[in-house]
Amino acid sequence: MLDRDSRDGRPGTSIAVDGKTMRGSRTRHTTARHVLAAADQHTGAVLASTDVDSTTNEITRFAALLDQLHDPHGTVVTADALHCQRDHVTYLAQRGAHWMLTVKGDQCPACTSNSPACPGASSRSLTAPPATATAAGRSAP
């Protein structure tokens, strides 16, 4: 379990990175404002944020966002599939952070097929058929 008393990118913190388009921010002459934020997963407090203007996207703003944190060493950073990028993983590793990123099937065919080309393929199965729920709330094969 992570230490809930650590905050602001210190060891033990878990941080969620996510982008949001600000509802109601679009005008007749401007596109809606889009923000990428890093939030403490325990309190929901936004620790850092950066604008994502119309000439770029969240991918290019990831490092700039996390550079605002004091020291992410030992921090667990979670993000959606958009951020499952080699550059992002390299950045997090260089800063000493841990990560949990969503991987979609079309992002890493080797990983989803349990190919030996994917490190750790023998220890997981991402292509297992989904279980179906039973009336008792357990999953059936």
Side-chain angles (χ1 to χ4, degrees), residues 97-134:
H98 305 283
W99 56 89
M100 291 178 65
L101 303 171
T102 303
V103 179
K104 289 188 176 179
D106 62 346
Q107 290 177 303
C108 182
C111 290
T112 57
S113 67
N114 270 345
S115 163
C118 184
S122 61
S123 65
R124 67 175 176 266
S125 173
L126 298 177
T127 57
T132 56
T134 64

Side-chain angles (χ1 to χ4, degrees), residues 25-131:
S25 63
R26 183 177 66 107
T27 68
R28 219 174 186 189
H29 306 288
T30 62
T31 60
R33 184 174 176 203
H34 192 81
V35 176
L36 184 64
D40 182 298
Q41 290 190 4
H42 298 292
T43 65
V46 174
L47 304 174
S49 67
T50 185
D51 282 330
V52 179
D53 63 36
S54 61
T55 62
T56 189
N57 60 38
E58 288 182 27
I59 294 171
T60 62
R61 303 301 299 150
F62 185 81
L65 170 72
L66 295 178
D67 282 344
Q68 296 177 46
L69 299 178
H70 173 66
D71 179 16
H73 187 271
T75 300
V76 176
V77 177
T78 64
D80 59 23
L82 178 67
H83 297 287
C84 190
Q85 307 284 328
R86 285 186 177 104
D87 289 345
H88 292 184
V89 170
T90 300
Y91 170 85
L92 292 169
Q94 289 172 344
R95 302 245 2 236
H98 305 283
W99 56 89
M100 291 178 65
L101 303 171
T102 303
V103 179
K104 289 188 176 179
D106 62 346
Q107 290 177 303
C108 182
C111 290
T112 57
S113 67
N114 270 345
S115 163
C118 184
S122 61
S123 65
R124 67 175 176 266
S125 173
L126 298 177
T127 57

Side-chain angles (χ1 to χ4, degrees), residues 11-25:
T13 304
S14 55
I15 296 173
V17 173
D18 197 18
K20 295 292 175 201
T21 299
M22 308 291 284
R23 186 175 180 176
S25 63

